[in-house]
Amino acid sequence: MSWVASLARPEIAGLEPYDHAVWEPNLTRLHANELPWRAIADESLAGLNRYPEPQARALIERLAQLYRVPPEHLLISRGSDEAIDLLVRTFCRANEDAVLVCPPTFAMYAGAARVQGARIISVPLVAEAGFSLDKDAVLAQCGGDVKIVFLCSPNNPTGNRIDSEAVRDVLTALIGRAIVVVDHAYVEFSNGADGLYRPPRPPNLAILRTLSKAHGLAGARLGALIADPDVISLLRKVIAPYAVPQLVIEAALSVLTAVHLRTLPKRIAQVRAERFRVSRALAGLPIVKSVLPSEANFILVRFKDPVAALARAYGARLLIRDVRGYPGLSDALRITIGAPEENDRLLQAWA
Ligand SMILES: *Cc1c(COP(=O)(O)O)cnc(C)c1O
């Protein structure tokens, strides 16, 4: 049995792939109980009367090219949210297995664990050291019941990157014992990729990528999990056969063109320039205690009176994220970098 199968829930490891209708685009489809005619206003390319291609090949190839990985290392999902849920459902038995998270971090990891009934082991990031990873504590807490370690880099909501040497050490120590998921939702905004997925690549590494942030496709709900082909094959047995809708496949293929990829660095540079400008301006405001350094498209800010700051922003019809419920962030708000005029409105509201 492969290490992946022995790590997974036994019922999942033994699962036969769902026997969906055969995908043979050149043959006439009398095998999937679809209607032979399009709806009157259906302007899609393939026709929404037809089920979409499961794990659509063209989209997988486009994303594999984008992320510079072989196609068989990539699973497409309804946003990273679905990939997180799939990982937890595939590897964690309810009431027996655990996931390890490093708060303050993205709430979906613990949320998916709660839905599955998996235990949650928390090893906080070290606030005094810029929310860095407590590698030794993570490894000390990784008993046999921990099946997945979730690391987020750059981290939401703190904005800092997790040191890639520490990530590598965790990966190496947990080979054959646990999957280490590195969530790269904001990596495009950071100071250079850390090359984690380059060979030699630990087999227990899984990377989450999303089109929701830098690519501007949050409404499409499209993400990718990049992992060892054995992990991908296993997850393909668990994911819904028609997880990614035809409209999303077509929208993503029409957006992810050479023109888009040429525009992307300019957009990212603009966000980074605004992040710098807004951070500086916020640091000079009397209501602000401190502005944390960020490598994402948001800034975490500590306030003398966060409730008043929230109210003033809301009064100016601006929504910002109240993150005071996270451990160690009782005075903090998270601000997404908007367009320059939107950022100006926020700075004026707080001036
Ligand atoms: C926004 C975000 C995502 C993206 O989720 P999608 O479901 O792909 O939209 C993933 N991880 C983190 C940490 C995020 O903040």
Side-chain angles (χ1 to χ4, degrees):
M1 189 157 60
S2 79
W3 68 274
V4 177
S6 57
L7 206 61
R9 289 170 47 207
E11 332 50 325
I12 302 289
L15 214 56
E16 293 297 324
Y18 172 71
D19 186 19
H20 58 70
V22 174
W23 184 256
E24 290 263 18
N26 297 322
L27 303 190
T28 301
R29 292 171 65 89
L30 299 180
H31 69 332
N33 298 349
E34 303 154 344
L35 200 72
W37 310 286
R38 285 170 178 251
I40 298 300
D42 175 358
E43 289 176 5
S44 64
L45 292 174
L48 297 181
N49 53 319
R50 303 300 181 188
Y51 281 99
E53 180 187 357
Q55 291 295 307
R57 192 73 207 162
L59 185 52
I60 290 208
E61 278 170 7
R62 190 74 60 89
L63 292 177
Q65 204 176 22
L66 177 66
Y67 298 131
R68 298 195 179 88
V69 299
E72 63 275 17
H73 289 238
L74 193 144
L75 181 90
I76 53 180
S77 58
R78 279 168 290 193
S80 305
D81 287 355
E82 183 179 39
I84 293 165
D85 183 58
L86 276 176
L87 283 161
V88 174
R89 281 197 288 139
T90 300
F91 288 97
C92 296
R93 291 166 297 179
N95 304 317
E96 290 193 53
D97 297 324
V99 306
L100 188 146
V101 296
C102 300
T105 193
F106 193 42
M108 270 301 297
Y109 316 138
R114 273 186 208 102
V115 169
Q116 175 63 8
R119 290 192 307 114
I120 300 160
I121 296 178
S122 289
V123 178
L125 298 171
V126 186
E128 308 77 52
F131 293 102
S132 59
L133 187 70
D134 190 344
K135 179 185 78 182
D136 296 335
V138 166
L139 292 179
Q141 293 287 321
C142 271
D145 52 345
V146 171
K147 295 296 173 72
I148 306 176
V149 174
F150 283 103
L151 303 175
C152 187
S153 181
N155 185 44
N156 180 7
T158 56
N160 60 295
R161 219 156 27 123
I162 305 295
D163 174 54
S164 37
E165 282 311 305
V167 176
R168 271 183 203 288
D169 291 346
V170 170
L171 273 160
T172 309
L174 296 178
I175 286 176
R177 291 168 52 198
I179 307 271
V180 179
V181 178
V182 180
D183 188 340
H184 270 346
Y186 301 98
V187 78
E188 290 93 342
F189 301 106
S190 74
N191 302 328
D194 48 23
L196 259 184
Y197 209 77
R198 272 190 229 117
R201 184 185 50 79
N204 54 338
L205 169 62
I207 290 187
L208 292 169
R209 301 295 302 252
T210 180
L211 297 179
S212 298
K213 304 288 155 61
H215 289 277
L217 292 175
R221 308 305 304 125
L222 187 59
L225 181 83
I226 296 165
D228 187 274
D230 288 347
V231 173
I232 300 296
S233 317
L234 189 65
L235 294 175
R236 280 180 81 139
K237 295 192 211 169
V238 181
I239 194 168
Y242 306 115
V244 177
Q246 185 61 30
L247 285 176
V248 175
I249 297 170
E250 291 182 13
L253 286 172
S254 74
V255 167
L256 297 174
T257 58
V259 181
H260 169 78
L261 297 180
R262 277 200 302 277
T263 317
L264 195 65
K266 293 177 200 152
R267 291 257 171 102
I268 291 168
Q270 204 177 1
V271 169
R272 289 166 57 104
E274 279 295 286
R275 181 177 77 200
F276 180 75
R277 180 181 77 90
V278 174
S279 296
R280 273 244 294 236
L282 286 171
L285 295 179
I287 62 168
V288 167
K289 271 204 273 191
S290 62
V291 178
L292 279 72
S294 169
E295 294 202 38
N297 67 335
F298 56 81
I299 315 171
L300 190 69
V301 183
R302 295 189 187 276
F303 288 86
K304 290 173 187 157
D305 184 348
V307 178
L310 264 179
R312 268 161 73 179
Y314 194 76
R317 304 185 62 76
L318 294 159
L319 297 174
I320 52 176
R321 192 62 164 259
D322 183 356
V323 293
R324 290 175 300 144
Y326 287 85
L329 301 182
S330 60
D331 56 356
L333 304 175
R334 192 194 70 193
I335 301 152
T336 303
I337 299 299
E341 58 279 13
E342 295 169 337
N343 303 331
D344 284 340
R345 276 174 54 211
L346 182 64
L347 293 172
Q348 277 155 20
W350 281 342

